[in-house]
């Protein structure tokens, strides 16, 4: 989606957005998406759908800086778990709903690893604009997310397959039944997700950090961030783009493999189609399936692959992969020294730790990790990590190659006896 800025009224300085802070009684100024309407002006301001998304926080964390090898004051966590449905997806959903309303759609659908469906279900429940139809892979969705879709009243279709299967089906069904599709191949979603970067800049006093680190699943977020910075550069509102690091899980590492191992590049808008085709043919031949505890990025066929290549081009990006072990250890660190997050979000911290060890990110560079989802989204993964129940640990994590809970905070078992309880607190407290 390209804007003809000459015919619009873009701001001359990012500071102009601060005027909205004094007008928080107006829902469009209160929204962390629509207060940046001038930078995503595809609909008139009055038509924009909001349920109060984007009230997020950029948290400085020296503890996690130390964990990854950065100096104090250099690491920030952009906590998107504060959105109404608990993940960054609400940024894009408010924009997709704005467009869907203009098309007068009656039903909206998505395939989801959980958070898109939670967001879609919530926007349907609150706005009553459409009926939500969500497709999930069987057994592949974290309980926090599934509970939201059910609670908010969405029609939930569980496909016998994984996310990539559900994605293929939802596209067919939407085409056949004329249902509005809100997956991140929907370009309006990406418009809304640009605002995550605007809020990061806002929280840093409009200074551009050296690095943005984001998990890579369907690659909607990374694509949106690249577009945000391209447009800010085009408008002369920032002097340079930050560098971008996209972090895959090793069990779902299509982008990493193609970009870092096989040299796939944006190439001025002509990424090598044969390289991509052969990669997927080979994947199908071997029957390879995405497999990671970080269910939100358990995706082998990212729909925004080429857009992400453009973002990597704009932001001199790098891609890394991290194991489930690294993800869960990083998640425990975020929980102990930040606001907490779900596994996919912690991939950013694990990826940054690698990049700092490699010397790609310097200890004095300013880095922002995007914590994409709330701590409560996937309680099973968290409890299994900290558990004293070896069977649970093996079932949930051992099967995924996680062998130790390096930073486990184990519950202490005591008899129902005052003296024993006091002794335990004195011993461990
Ligand atoms: C959707 C999601 C991701 C993946 O984002 P993409 O834009 O699909 O790359 C990562 N983390 C969480 C918590 C998510 O919900």
């Amino acid at each position: 989606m390209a804007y003809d800025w000459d015919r619009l009224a873009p701001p001359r300085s990012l500071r102009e957005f601060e005027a909205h802070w004094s007008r928080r009684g107006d829902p469009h100024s209160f929204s962390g998406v629509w207060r940046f309407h001038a930078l995503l002006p595809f609909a008139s301001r009055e038509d924009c759908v909001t349920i109060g998304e984007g009230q997020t926080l950029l948290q400085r964390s020296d503890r996690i800086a130390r964990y990854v090898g950065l100096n104090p004051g250099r690491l920030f966590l952009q906590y998107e778990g504060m959105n109404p449905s608990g993940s960054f997806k609400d940024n894009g959903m408010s924009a997709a709903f704005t467009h869907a309303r203009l098309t007068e759609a009656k039903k909206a659908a998505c395939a989801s690893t959980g958070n898109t469906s939670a967001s879609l279900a919530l926007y349907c429940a609150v706005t009553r604009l459409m009926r939500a139809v969500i497709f999930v892979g069987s057994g592949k969705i974290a309980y926090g997310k599934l509970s939201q879709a059910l609670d908010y009243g969405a029609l939930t279709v569980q496909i016998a397959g994984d996310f990539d299967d559900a994605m293929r089906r939802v596209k067919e069904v939407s085409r056949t039944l004329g249902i509005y599709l809100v997956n991140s191949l929907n370009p309006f979603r990406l418009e809304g997700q640009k605002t995550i970067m605007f809020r990061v800049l806002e929280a840093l006093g409009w200074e551009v950090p050296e690095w943005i680190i984001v998990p890579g699943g369907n690659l909607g977020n990374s694509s949106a961030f690249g577009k945000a910075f391209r447009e800010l550069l085009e408008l002369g509102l920032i002097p340079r783009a930050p560098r971008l690091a996209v972090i895959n899980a090793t069990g779902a590492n299509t982008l990493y493999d193609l970009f870092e191992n096989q040299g796939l590049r944006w190439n001025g808008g002509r990424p090598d189609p044969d390289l991509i085709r052969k990669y997927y043919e080979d994947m199908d031949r071997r029957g390879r399936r995405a497999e990671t505890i970080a269910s939100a990025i358990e995706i082998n066929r990212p729909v925004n692959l080429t857009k992400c290549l453009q973002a990597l081009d704009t932001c001199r990006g790098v891609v890394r992969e991290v194991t489930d072990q690294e993800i869960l250890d990083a998640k425990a660190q975020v929980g102990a020294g930040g606001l907490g997050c779900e596994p996919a979000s912690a991939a950013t911290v694990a990826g940054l730790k690698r990049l700092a060890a490699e010397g790609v990110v310097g200890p004095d560079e300013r880095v922002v990790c995007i914590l994409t989802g709330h701590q409560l989204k996937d309680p099973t993964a968290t409890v299994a990590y900290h558990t004293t129940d070896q069977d649970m640990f093996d079932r949930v994590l051992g099967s995924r190659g996680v062998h130790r809970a390096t930073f486990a905070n184990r519950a202490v078992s005591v008899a129902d006896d005052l003296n024993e309880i006091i002794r335990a607190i004195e011993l461990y407290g």
Side-chain angles (χ1 to χ4, degrees), residues 25 68 88 138 238 264 303 336 366 368 404:
V68 299
F88 77 82
S138 54
I238 51 171
L264 181 67
V303 298
R366 258 215 298 200
V368 177
R404 23 170 229 289

Side-chain angles (χ1 to χ4, degrees), residues 30-322:
F30 179 75
S31 166
V33 170
W34 299 118
R35 76 167 172 267
F36 298 103
H37 176 262
L39 294 173
L40 53 155
F42 63 84
S44 72
R45 198 164 181 274
E46 303 69 50
D47 282 333
C48 293
V49 175
T50 176
I51 65 166
E53 58 287 322
Q55 304 307 313
T56 58
L57 183 71
L58 187 78
Q59 183 197 29
R60 171 178 154 173
S61 178
D62 289 354
R63 178 193 164 111
I64 296 158
R66 192 172 340 110
Y67 175 65
V68 299
L70 296 192
N71 287 329
R74 309 318 285 174
L75 178 67
F76 298 84
L77 304 172
Q78 170 66 12
Y79 189 55
E80 289 291 320
M82 288 167 83
N83 275 291
S85 82
S87 86
F88 77 82
K89 299 295 198 300
D90 295 344
N91 294 283
M93 204 55 70
S94 63
F97 263 61
T98 298
H99 178 247
R101 176 155 75 179
L102 298 176
T103 69
E104 297 182 1
K106 295 283 172 286
K107 287 195 176 80
C110 70
S112 179
T113 60
N115 280 333
T116 302
S117 55
S119 181
L120 170 61
L122 179 59
Y123 273 78
C124 283
V126 175
T127 66
R128 299 269 146 205
L129 284 170
M130 292 182 284
R131 170 105 167 103
V133 184
I134 68 164
F135 287 62
V136 297
S138 54
K140 288 288 190 181
I141 179 170
Y143 264 20
K145 307 176 188 184
L146 180 60
S147 72
Q148 289 180 285
L150 299 174
D151 214 20
Y152 301 145
L155 170 59
T156 306
V157 183
Q158 243 165 337
I159 311 258
D162 66 7
F163 173 82
D164 294 309
D165 300 318
M167 187 71 228
R168 206 172 297 138
R169 289 302 179 195
V170 78
K171 282 197 238 174
E172 288 170 6
V173 171
S174 308
R175 217 173 314 132
T176 312
L177 297 180
I179 298 176
Y180 188 86
L181 195 58
V182 300
N183 270 102
S184 60
L185 51 85
N186 177 321
F188 296 95
R189 286 253 324 263
L190 304 197
E191 289 304 299
Q193 287 167 210
K194 291 191 309 193
T195 64
I196 300 169
M197 290 300 101
F198 305 152
R199 294 198 301 274
V200 164
L201 295 181
E202 183 178 57
L204 291 172
W206 308 110
E207 279 180 29
V208 181
E210 272 71 46
W211 286 93
I212 300 287
I213 321 262
V214 64
N218 254 328
L219 308 178
N221 239 359
S222 43
S223 301
F225 297 175
K227 186 168 190 282
F229 291 119
R230 265 195 312 284
E231 290 173 349
L232 292 180
L233 285 169
E234 190 187 330
L235 291 168
L237 293 170
I238 51 171
R240 60 173 175 85
R243 296 193 67 187
L244 182 68
V246 184
I247 312 299
N248 275 165
T250 48
N253 65 353
T254 298
L255 180 70
Y256 173 74
D257 231 3
L258 282 171
F259 187 83
E260 296 289 346
N261 297 334
Q262 309 207 19
L264 181 67
R265 288 294 181 275
W266 169 243
N267 190 27
R270 292 177 311 283
D272 185 350
D274 291 337
L275 197 58
I276 301 172
R277 187 176 42 77
K278 288 205 188 102
Y279 188 82
Y280 287 138
E281 277 172 9
D282 181 58
M283 182 185 285
D284 287 342
R285 205 168 33 245
R286 298 198 214 175
R288 217 173 83 210
R289 293 282 169 173
E291 185 68 49
T292 168
I293 190 78
S295 55
I297 54 173
E298 191 175 38
I299 295 170
N300 260 349
R301 291 176 179 270
V303 298
N304 292 299
L305 176 63
T306 47
K307 286 182 187 173
C308 177
L309 292 174
Q310 187 175 17
L312 290 166
D313 185 70
T314 303
C315 298
R316 291 196 301 131
V318 299
V319 185
R320 289 295 181 271
E321 57 172 1
V322 290

Side-chain angles (χ1 to χ4, degrees), residues 79 142-145 293-295 324 327-336 339-346 373-389 392-397 400 402 404-411:
Y79 189 55
Y143 264 20
K145 307 176 188 184
I293 190 78
S295 55
D324 283 6
I327 287 173
L328 289 183
D329 287 341
K331 184 175 117 51
Q333 287 289 321
V334 173
L339 296 170
C341 65
E342 65 169 279
S345 313
H374 198 282
Q375 197 272 351
L376 294 174
K377 287 283 191 175
D378 190 352
T380 312
T382 309
V383 174
Y385 185 86
H386 293 290
T387 190
T388 51
D389 175 350
M392 183 190 191
F393 184 90
D394 291 342
R395 185 164 32 82
V396 180
L397 303 180
R400 301 191 182 266
V402 179
R404 23 170 229 289
T406 319
F407 307 110
N409 175 30
R410 298 217 162 79

